Amino acid sequence: MPKANPANRRRAERHETSKAIALVVESAHQQIASQAFAVDLSQLGARVRTSVRLEPGQEVTVIPREGKAYSVPSRVIWIQGLGLESGTEAGLAFLEPQAPASGLWAETHVP
């Protein structure tokens, strides 16, 4: 697993993006799919903006809107309300690290 950089305390380098994604959220009786936007990405997680109510610890699935069709199981680590119009920002930890060549990184990752 990547080690933290002492300068910023992050375990993996983040890359800013504005990528449309879908979030699939498990609720008590159903699955809810919602449009969201990835604000930044790393191999270990993402910061997303969504209108769906999320809770820390909740499992969600990230599905890229572009590129290969596949899903990325993730867990909500933190949430921050931005207001009614802006929705919520959430930090997601991928349950499996994502390779830079994955579809989630398409047109985002800069080597």
Side-chain angles (χ1 to χ4, degrees), residues 8-110:
N8 65 16
R9 295 181 177 228
R10 301 211 187 275
R11 296 183 308 150
E13 185 178 355
R14 291 185 179 195
H15 298 274
E16 289 185 25
T17 187
S18 181
K19 180 181 273 304
I21 59 171
L23 281 181
V24 178
V25 180
E26 299 284 339
S27 72
H29 303 288
Q30 62 185 351
Q31 286 186 338
I32 301 169
S34 175
Q35 180 176 338
F37 290 92
V39 177
D40 65 36
L41 291 168
S42 78
Q43 289 179 304
L44 302 176
R47 179 168 46 121
V48 299
R49 188 168 291 146
T50 182
S51 60
V52 173
R53 182 184 169 124
L54 299 172
E55 298 290 331
Q58 184 175 27
E59 290 194 9
V60 299
T61 302
V62 176
I63 301 173
R65 294 276 194 182
E66 302 170 357
K68 297 179 181 177
Y70 73 101
S71 60
V72 181
S74 307
R75 178 172 287 112
V76 178
I77 302 299
W78 58 265
I79 56 169
Q80 177 180 13
L82 299 176
L84 294 175
E85 291 180 17
S86 299
T88 300
E89 274 195 357
L92 305 180
F94 301 145
L95 299 184
E96 293 288 329
Q98 298 298 297
S102 75
L104 188 60
W105 282 80
E107 300 176 17
T108 301
H109 181 69
V110 179

